[in-house]
Amino acid sequence: AQSVTQLGSHVSVSEGALVLLRCNYSSSVPPYLFWYVQYPNQGLQLLLKYTSAATLVKGINGFEAEFKKSETSFHLTKPSAHMSDAAEYFCAVRKRRLSGGGGNTPLVFGKGTRLSVIA
Amino acid sequence: DTGVSQNPRHKITKRGQNVTFRCDPISEHNRLYWYRQTLGQGPEFLTYFQNEAQLEKSRLLSDRFSAERPKGSFSTLEIQRTEQGDSAMYLCASRGKANYGYTFGSGTRLTVV
């Protein structure tokens, strides 16, 4: 079964500092990988996704993530944190079929990492 | 593209009552998903529709839960005889054929008292 592990339920950074949120996946075949952000009492917004092209993926709001097969990781980074980045971040995985495509497999989410940004 | 719409945004109900939530997906998306999110956790998959067909149900979906998508457009999720453990955010998402990721609605927060 697909799964993701997010290391650190809470990360705190200073405004302007580097943001690093960690995600490791478990899958026999490199899956599709996603990062979502959730603001209080809101749904989830897609930040970026890795499907099969470039291993360094750029997303919205200055975030990016790098797929590293050897480390089974998909860590999320942002060079300079902004106060508006404070939110809950979820890494998610969707199984990739050996024949290609994801079929109807649902997204599986990690438990989330709450990012706090200190002024 | 008006996004995924969920109603109501909040629902408070007494234990034992039935509740129904509605989800209107993005119009051209044929795939629709329901998730449940409890405090401090990631969303957990409940069920999935492709057009009007319910193709997958999680073991989390007890027999008190039922979901429908009668015309392949909007969907409803009903919980019968609600329990306090049903208190959660219920999220709906949709996906088109060419998409890899899902578009989520803002969710319905259920509180069972």
Side-chain angles (χ1 to χ4, degrees):
Chain A
Q2 314 292 300
S3 67
V4 288
T5 302
Q6 292 185 241
L7 297 174
S9 59
H10 183 208
V11 170
S12 185
V13 300
S14 298
E15 191 174 19
L18 171 72
V19 176
L20 171 60
L21 304 182
R22 300 177 187 273
C23 173
N24 288 87
Y25 67 89
S26 170
S27 175
S28 56
V29 175
Y32 300 120
L33 291 157
F34 308 82
W35 276 99
Y36 282 84
V37 61
Q38 186 177 34
Y39 297 98
N41 295 315
Q42 296 292 318
L44 284 80
Q45 181 182 9
L46 180 65
L47 277 178
L48 49 79
K49 61 190 177 192
Y50 166 75
T51 55
S52 64
T55 56
L56 181 62
V57 181
K58 295 189 182 299
I60 62 172
N61 302 339
F63 284 93
E64 62 181 37
E66 186 172 8
F67 171 71
K68 291 187 177 180
K69 182 179 177 181
S70 61
E71 298 176 8
T72 61
S73 69
F74 191 57
H75 302 330
L76 182 71
T77 60
K78 181 174 180 177
S80 177
H82 191 273
M83 297 297 288
S84 62
D85 295 326
E88 190 87 18
Y89 291 81
F90 294 95
C91 183
V93 62
R94 190 158 79 89
K95 183 178 181 179
R96 182 197 305 266
R97 294 184 303 188
L98 289 173
S99 58
N104 299 323
T105 56
L107 277 178
V108 175
F109 286 87
K111 292 189 175 183
T113 298
R114 183 162 59 91
L115 175 66
S116 297
V117 182
I118 304 167
Chain B
D1 181 355
T2 58
V4 177
S5 177
Q6 291 190 247
N7 289 288
R9 289 295 308 276
H10 303 275
K11 178 71 176 178
I12 299 175
T13 191
K14 290 184 178 180
R15 190 176 53 186
Q17 297 294 304
N18 299 345
V19 294
T20 301
F21 311 139
R22 176 178 170 125
C23 172
D24 288 88
I26 293 173
S27 58
E28 61 267 27
H29 286 184
N30 63 340
R31 293 164 170 83
L32 186 147
Y33 304 82
W34 284 99
Y35 280 78
R36 182 176 70 184
Q37 184 180 22
T38 53
L39 202 60
Q41 299 295 316
E44 296 172 295
F45 170 73
L46 291 178
T47 190
Y48 156 67
F49 289 86
Q50 184 166 321
N51 300 313
E52 66 277 7
Q54 188 173 19
L55 297 185
E56 189 170 346
K57 291 194 289 186
S58 160
R59 59 181 170 76
L60 292 175
L61 210 68
S62 76
D63 56 7
R64 295 186 298 105
F65 288 69
S66 63
E68 293 182 340
R69 195 182 182 197
K71 296 182 180 179
S73 55
F74 73 92
S75 176
T76 58
L77 177 68
E78 180 183 17
I79 308 175
Q80 295 182 325
R81 305 181 304 280
T82 52
E83 302 173 356
Q84 286 191 320
D86 297 330
S87 296
M89 174 80 90
Y90 290 84
L91 294 163
C92 176
S94 68
R95 181 171 75 90
K97 284 184 181 179
N99 302 130
Y100 293 96
Y102 302 178
T103 301
F104 280 85
S106 296
T108 294
R109 181 167 294 285
L110 173 67
T111 302
V112 181
V113 297

